Amino acid sequence: MLPRHLQTVGGRCITRASHSRPVCMSGNFLRYPWWTGHYQPFSFFPVNNWHPQDNSRPYHYFGPHRTALPGSHIFPWFPTHSSWLHTSNFNMDAKGDEPFRKRKKGIEDDEYRGPWAKRPYPPASDLRAPPIQGTPKIFDPTSPQTEGKAEIKRRWEDFSPHNHERTSEGKFDFTVMSYNILSQDLLEDNSSLYSHCRRPYLFWNYRLPNILRELQEMNADILCLQEVQDDHYQEQIKPNLEALGYICEYKVRTGSKPDGCAICFKSDKFNLKLVKPVEYFRQNIALLDRDNIGLVLILQPKTRGRDVPMICVANTHLLYNPRRGDIKLTQLAILLAEITEVAQIQDGRFCPIVLCGDFNSVPGSPLHRFVKEGTLYYEGLTIGKVSGQERYSKGQRILSIPIWPKSLGITQKCVYDSPGKDETPEGSLEGQIVEKTDEQTKEPDIRVDSNLWHHFSLSSAYSHYFPDTGMPEITTCHSKSAITVDYIFYSAEHNDVFRQPGSEGPCNGLRLLGRLSLLNEQDLWSVNGLPNETNSSDHLSLLAKFRLEL
Ligand code: KL2
């Protein structure tokens, strides 16, 4: 039985999938009870935060009018009503495209794997061979490549106030997408995760048009992308997004891995005020020997009026290693310290913050709770439990107190303890960022206890469980796991539906107006998991719409 919210939208797909190859599906369904018990949803996320207005009807845009609007914005109405997701049906009959053989990973700590690591089967050169000749440099949105493919619809969940407001005066609405697009290099390095996939769907030249199409169809005002491979960004992704009206900023990982994070925003919606690339690697700190990065932008909405508030948009991909919660928390602390530096406006207040990314941590985990609750008591917590990615944590060491050394220059409140020590960011806020107040410049607490804090009051745009079934929302799904690791956090204003209870944060806030619904694991496996014929990453995109009061 399908969850109620998908009964109408997924029926066609599920029916067709039941005629397709069932092996993979049944195996993965069995994992389901384990997963739900993995962390207790209801202790952290009572489903009663579901908004009563969430009764929007699924809307199938690609119905009878599908061919009526070639070349125009595929979602001219988006995102006020609903949306959809194409997911593939496992029914194509091609030769020579068997799933990958399972590969036993020699070294689990992928991100620290040296050049000695063996290349997975098949060789990278094999996957790079283009099965589709002549991918156009600029993607052509009119080519009907999604024709005839199975679909699961993703609903647009509308939380906007129904108060008949007609004027846009005094408010600025914008959409934000967070999407880990699966770098080809990581796909090839971890090919055992994709043993369930039909091989042609794993070629970059097959995946790229699908990814670009999805970005174009979603038409978000701000894109926060992770796992963007350097050469693909420069040669394909950036030019295509620029052709769609985006300005693109990018930060590649340190070290030898050739992927990074991008933030792209619509040039007709925002002015760029500041770019702050953030590296977590520190030469002299053993804990910080990993090459993950973040990227922070300050954007100014383009509206009439002189004192338009800024917004801060941050994007990151934290360390994967499920055992190294100590590193993940320290990487997060660095990002929060950087946001604190650039997002201050006056009197210890901050501009609204949107924090997106792949945090490699599940809902309800200590790391996730730290982001949302602004505090974490970590005494006695083992490093393998911080992210909650694995049921049985393998990292048995207890977090040290403090977690990171003083030489990092970041306090337990996730702020730099000596202002101005860090390099000056490019650009400026043109006088909008003022000197630190006495409160912020005074010495940090000498007494070190086992509490972490941060300055922001952040809510999650997603609920992480479906309110009617209690099933987890899934943001990444491959042969090893199906979990949520991607988030859009934001500073919520006082009327917001998902404002953290009791929070009176120092940020001017945003109001969540809607989001694109996620799927559960069962739905994803019914169309052979991710990536598949039409969804070309092992993650789903997250999309939320916000309102900024001017
Ligand atoms: O989970 V991810 O995928 O957010 O989608 O982040 C990491 C993993 C990414 C960057 O390191 O590569 C993937 N098992 C599973 N996934 C892995 C592994 C592994 N051993 N190593 C890297 N990744």
Side-chain angles (χ1 to χ4, degrees):
M1 184 69 169
L2 282 173
R4 196 173 346 121
H5 72 287
L6 281 168
Q7 279 174 12
T8 46
V9 296
R12 176 178 157 222
C13 160
I14 300 302
T15 315
R16 288 179 59 179
S18 63
H19 299 300
S20 64
R21 198 184 300 187
V23 184
C24 187
M25 289 161 53
S26 52
N28 283 286
F29 287 169
L30 288 175
R31 282 219 313 269
Y32 202 75
W34 158 133
W35 202 93
T36 39
H38 185 25
Y39 47 84
Q40 287 94 45
F42 302 109
S43 57
F44 300 119
F45 295 99
V47 291
N48 61 9
N49 60 359
W50 189 251
H51 195 280
Q53 286 165 355
D54 177 34
N55 54 3
S56 49
R57 189 167 53 87
Y59 179 98
H60 297 208
Y61 179 76
F62 278 0
H65 308 300
R66 177 172 181 176
T67 50
L69 294 163
S72 67
H73 269 316
I74 298 175
F75 288 152
W77 43 268
F78 195 83
T80 49
H81 299 290
S82 71
S83 187
W84 53 266
L85 164 79
H86 285 292
T87 44
S88 81
N89 197 342
F90 202 77
N91 63 357
M92 249 174 67
D93 244 330
K95 288 202 176 106
D97 57 1
E98 297 79 26
F100 287 161
R101 255 187 276 135
K102 284 227 166 185
R103 175 176 65 98
K104 178 110 181 78
K105 264 189 103 67
I107 301 167
E108 288 201 334
D109 190 355
D110 56 292
E111 305 189 46
Y112 205 46
R113 209 162 40 190
W116 59 85
K118 281 214 181 97
R119 270 289 180 195
Y121 171 82
S125 55
D126 194 2
L127 277 174
R128 285 200 183 111
I132 299 168
Q133 292 299 320
T135 304
K137 191 165 186 213
I138 300 296
F139 167 65
D140 174 11
T142 57
S143 59
Q145 292 182 31
T146 52
E147 215 44 92
K149 295 180 182 174
E151 295 173 21
I152 284 185
K153 305 286 188 290
R154 290 178 68 182
R155 285 186 310 143
W156 182 254
E157 300 174 336
D158 188 4
F159 306 123
S160 54
H162 298 288
N163 55 4
H164 309 293
E165 289 171 356
R166 288 193 173 273
T167 151
S168 58
E169 205 66 12
K171 45 188 179 283
F172 178 82
D173 295 351
F174 62 99
T175 51
V176 180
M177 173 191 270
S178 183
Y179 193 13
N180 178 326
I181 62 169
L182 178 57
S183 104
Q184 191 65 17
D185 183 72
L186 287 170
L187 182 155
E188 291 164 20
D189 266 2
N190 300 292
S191 63
S192 65
L193 303 179
Y194 311 106
S195 55
H196 60 285
C197 299
R198 288 171 67 85
R199 226 169 112 194
Y201 303 154
L202 299 179
F203 288 94
W204 175 244
N205 281 356
Y206 182 87
R207 300 201 298 122
L208 173 70
N210 277 345
I211 291 166
L212 291 174
R213 182 180 306 108
E214 186 173 352
L215 296 179
Q216 179 173 25
E217 288 171 353
M218 299 293 181
N219 195 27
D221 298 313
I222 300 173
L223 304 173
C224 290
L225 305 177
Q226 304 87 35
E227 287 195 29
V228 183
Q229 195 169 307
D230 195 13
D231 52 344
H232 296 156
Y233 173 74
Q234 303 299 347
E235 291 157 26
Q236 296 163 323
I237 294 169
K238 186 170 186 244
N240 274 287
L241 289 177
E242 284 175 347
L244 294 173
Y246 289 95
I247 293 175
C248 302
E249 296 294 332
Y250 179 69
K251 171 67 188 151
V252 71
R253 278 212 253 179
T254 53
S256 57
K257 286 273 188 264
D259 70 289
C261 291
I263 304 180
C264 311
F265 60 90
K266 284 283 178 71
S267 60
D268 59 353
K269 283 276 246 197
F270 299 98
N271 284 318
L272 178 61
K273 290 289 166 184
L274 180 142
V275 183
K276 179 67 190 160
V278 183
E279 294 182 356
Y280 303 136
F281 178 87
R282 295 289 188 283
Q283 187 77 52
N284 302 319
I285 300 179
L287 182 67
L288 289 169
D289 60 352
R290 308 306 160 98
D291 291 313
N292 309 81
I293 49 83
L295 180 61
V296 186
L297 303 189
I298 301 288
L299 300 177
Q300 185 172 43
K302 282 187 175 173
T303 59
R304 272 173 286 164
R306 287 188 315 128
D307 294 323
V308 180
M310 311 280 183
I311 60 165
C312 173
V313 181
N315 184 18
T316 193
H317 188 182
L318 298 184
L319 181 78
Y320 165 74
N321 191 334
R323 286 169 294 169
R324 296 307 303 270
D326 49 344
I327 303 179
K328 291 177 202 249
L329 280 172
T330 309
Q331 292 181 341
L332 179 62
I334 296 173
L335 184 64
L336 291 168
E338 293 290 354
I339 295 173
T340 310
E341 292 279 295
V342 300
Q344 288 192 53
I345 38 178
Q346 55 192 351
D347 308 329
R349 294 193 67 80
F350 298 88
C351 66
I353 291 157
V354 180
L355 169 57
C356 294
D358 177 342
F359 289 72
N360 271 315
S361 302
V362 303
S365 63
L367 188 140
H368 171 260
R369 276 166 32 221
F370 174 53
V371 177
K372 278 190 69 165
E373 293 165 13
T375 179
L376 177 69
Y377 181 73
Y378 62 85
E379 189 173 323
L381 184 61
T382 54
I383 56 172
K385 284 228 154 64
V386 167
S387 67
Q389 285 153 293
E390 290 181 345
R391 188 165 49 146
Y392 303 109
S393 72
K394 292 188 197 128
Q396 292 305 326
R397 189 157 52 76
I398 285 171
L399 283 167
S400 62
I401 304 172
I403 298 172
W404 54 83
K406 199 164 166 28
S407 58
L408 178 58
I410 291 177
T411 72
Q412 297 271 294
K413 292 181 175 167
C414 297
V415 294
Y416 283 109
D417 61 6
S418 47
K421 183 173 146 190
D422 193 53
E423 66 186 61
T424 318
E426 292 168 40
S428 82
L429 275 192
E430 293 180 355
Q432 296 243 5
I433 289 181
V434 297
E435 290 298 307
K436 291 193 167 192
T437 62
D438 290 349
E439 175 59 24
Q440 285 132 17
T441 50
K442 79 179 180 212
E443 277 299 297
D445 289 349
I446 304 295
R447 184 179 59 90
V448 174
D449 59 22
S450 333
N451 272 304
L452 288 186
W453 305 85
H454 69 74
H455 272 69
F456 313 111
S457 162
L458 296 169
S459 300
S460 175
Y462 283 82
S463 305
H464 315 310
Y465 294 89
F466 293 102
D468 45 359
T469 60
M471 283 177 169
E473 296 173 340
I474 301 302
T475 70
T476 181
C477 177
H478 51 59
S479 48
K480 193 166 144 192
S481 72
I483 50 178
T484 279
V485 292
D486 305 277
Y487 301 90
I488 299 177
F489 296 109
Y490 65 104
S491 335
E493 59 125 49
H494 55 280
N495 285 325
D496 185 88
V497 270
F498 293 125
R499 188 177 163 89
Q500 278 289 99
S503 60
E504 194 47 66
C507 293
N508 298 327
L510 300 170
R511 183 177 189 142
L512 182 69
L513 295 182
R515 67 184 177 206
L516 186 60
S517 69
L518 286 164
L519 301 172
N520 66 40
E521 180 176 5
Q522 185 174 348
D523 296 327
L524 284 168
W525 280 116
S526 72
V527 288
N528 206 37
L530 296 172
N532 60 41
E533 187 181 4
T534 45
N535 300 96
S536 282
S537 171
D538 58 349
H539 291 245
L540 290 181
S541 56
L542 279 61
L543 182 71
K545 183 177 183 183
F546 296 105
R547 171 162 296 170
L548 174 67
E549 299 286 346
L550 302 175

